[in-house]
Every structure is written in C-alpha cells, then in structure tokens.
Amino acid sequence: MLLIPAIDLKDGKCVRLQQGDMQASTTFGEDPAAMARRWLDAGARQLHLVDLNGAFAGKPFNESAIKAILREVGDEVPVQLGGGIRDLDTIERLLDDGLSFVIIGTAAVKNPGFLKEACIAFGGHIIVGLDARDGKVATDGWSKLTGHEVVDLAKKFEDYGVESIIYTDIGRDGMLTGINIEATVALARAVSIPVIASGGLSNMADIDNLCAVEAEGVAGVICGRSIYTGALDFAQAQARADSLAV
C-alpha cells in the first residue's frame, strides 16, 4: 500500500482545505520545496501535488512552487499534479518540467475527448481524478455536482488508457472522518487499473482497513490533513502498511 503525501498549493503556500472550500484553508508551510523534502525524508515514495488556484481558475497558477518542488525532488520519487490541467500543451510542459504524472479531473468529465487525446499522446503519464459525493461525480473544484455515476465514468476512462484513478470522497476530505472504504472498494472491483483512495484518512485504523482491501485493487492512499496535524505519523503509517503488504 503506497502512502502518498499531498502538498496542496494556494498562493504559493502549502495549505489544507476542508471539503474543498477555499475559504476554509489552513496554512501548513510557506516553503513548498521544504515541505516536499520533509516527506521524502520521512520515507515517501511518491508525492501528490494539487494546484488549488488552478483547479478553480481552469489553468495552472502555482507553477513556480511546482518547479521548486521538482528541483528539490529531482529523480528521487515520482511526482503527480492535478488542478487546472485543461489542454495538451500544459501537459507537455509539466512533463518536460519533471512531473511523472498529471491528474485530469474536471476536464475529463466535461471533455472526455481531451482525456482520450491525452492518453494517446502521453500514455503512461495520465491519472484521472474522480471526486464524488454520494456516488455522483463533482467538478470545478468540487463546486458542481454532476449526474454522472463514478463507476460508469471509471470504466469509460479505463478504456481510454488512464494509468490509475484517484477516488476522493469530497464529503470526507479534510475532515479526518475516515476513508470511505466501501465506495473505494466498489470502484476498484469495477475496473482493472489501480485505484488510489483519497479523502478522510485519519489514523492507523484507516491504514489497516485499506491494507485489508489492497488485493481488491486499492493500490494507495493520499495522505493530507492527518499527517500535517500529527494525527497520523507518516513514517510509522508507511511502515505499518509495508508490514501488512499482501
């Protein structure tokens, strides 16, 4: 089970939101590159970046902070980024800057043809982010709820050739209320590509519960507020997951 620390970027700083609300943000660091180093030193094997301003604006915003992180990380671990990625030129630029994966969320739902083109042009580098509440996919920084069922879209996007799916329960994100194991497993069973859980990770019990369903196709989990507040010790959690590996 891969534990992936999240570095959410807003106005060049490291923050965490509650349920995607930009007005409910807590700043956890002024130096994104130093934050990346912190998680690498704690044993992170992959990093998850979110350009929060970009997610709402529909275009990248925190590129200077992203580049600083990539310079710090070098080729030590893969880095993935989501938020405001809406065209092939942006994907190409970000991959050239050193990103391993780009995460397409809103654009995948609103413009599936773009996602398909991205998978063809940049095979092996495209992750789709499906953010949902009560099984329905949300877009535009979680501000708009669609009528699309998560599983239906996941199956379609799998056929396009996406590398994996990050599934976020937006009702739980940033709330430390526990991962929605049931919904995550249901999605993982419906597709053959890896599913990464996100939203609500709170304690070591969540790690145990995720490891118990790893064989179902749940390959990892995004770690957010819990590792920033100290509710979960990242290094201990990854060690625990390694000890429970299937």
Side-chain angles (χ1 to χ4, degrees):
M1 179 67 58
L2 188 65
L3 276 57
I4 310 174
I7 301 176
D8 289 4
L9 302 167
K10 178 186 177 188
D11 304 329
K13 301 176 182 178
C14 304
V15 306
R16 295 302 301 170
L17 306 185
Q18 289 186 334
Q19 296 181 318
D21 184 353
M22 286 286 273
Q23 304 306 312
S25 68
T26 304
T27 300
F28 284 100
E30 304 279 340
D31 186 341
M35 188 63 74
R37 175 51 54 190
R38 170 185 171 184
W39 298 126
L40 290 182
D41 289 347
R45 298 167 194 160
Q46 194 156 318
L47 293 177
H48 174 81
L49 312 184
V50 182
D51 185 339
L52 292 170
N53 302 98
F56 284 86
K59 59 183 179 180
F61 182 89
N62 289 284
E63 287 199 64
S64 60
I66 293 162
K67 288 180 179 179
I69 290 171
L70 292 172
R71 285 194 298 270
E72 179 67 34
V73 172
D75 58 1
E76 289 184 53
V77 301
V79 180
Q80 60 198 41
L81 168 73
I85 299 170
R86 304 283 195 270
D87 60 76
L88 297 179
D89 288 343
T90 298
I91 295 173
E92 184 173 24
R93 185 175 73 250
L94 291 168
L95 292 176
D96 285 345
D97 285 342
L99 278 173
S100 298
F101 305 101
V102 296
I103 303 161
I104 302 176
T106 291
V109 180
K110 290 187 168 183
N111 185 5
F114 162 60
L115 177 66
K116 194 169 189 177
E117 290 176 356
C119 289
I120 292 170
F122 307 105
H125 297 283
I126 306 299
I127 295 172
V128 75
L130 292 178
D131 308 325
R133 188 191 302 273
D134 299 325
K136 302 291 186 182
V137 173
T139 62
D140 298 277
W142 303 352
S143 62
K144 298 178 182 176
L145 203 61
T146 72
H148 296 293
E149 294 285 345
V150 172
V151 169
D152 293 341
L153 282 184
K155 288 180 176 179
K156 180 164 75 171
F157 296 159
E158 178 182 23
D159 289 341
Y160 289 177
V162 300
E163 188 72 11
S164 58
I165 295 169
I166 296 175
Y167 172 65
T168 303
D169 184 324
I170 61 178
R172 299 186 183 218
D173 191 76
M175 303 304 290
L176 300 177
T177 52
I179 293 285
N180 188 336
I181 296 287
E182 183 179 357
T184 305
V185 169
L187 177 58
R189 286 174 175 167
V191 296
S192 59
I193 56 177
V195 171
I196 299 168
S198 176
L201 182 72
S202 59
N203 53 39
M204 205 66 85
D206 284 330
I207 301 299
D208 291 348
N209 291 335
L210 284 164
C211 288
V213 297
E214 186 173 2
E216 301 281 3
V218 182
V221 60
I222 305 297
C223 307
R225 182 173 290 271
S226 60
I227 61 173
Y228 284 92
T229 62
L232 185 69
D233 181 286
F234 178 81
Q236 291 180 9
Q238 183 63 74
R240 174 73 173 172
D242 290 345
S243 73
L244 295 172
V246 295

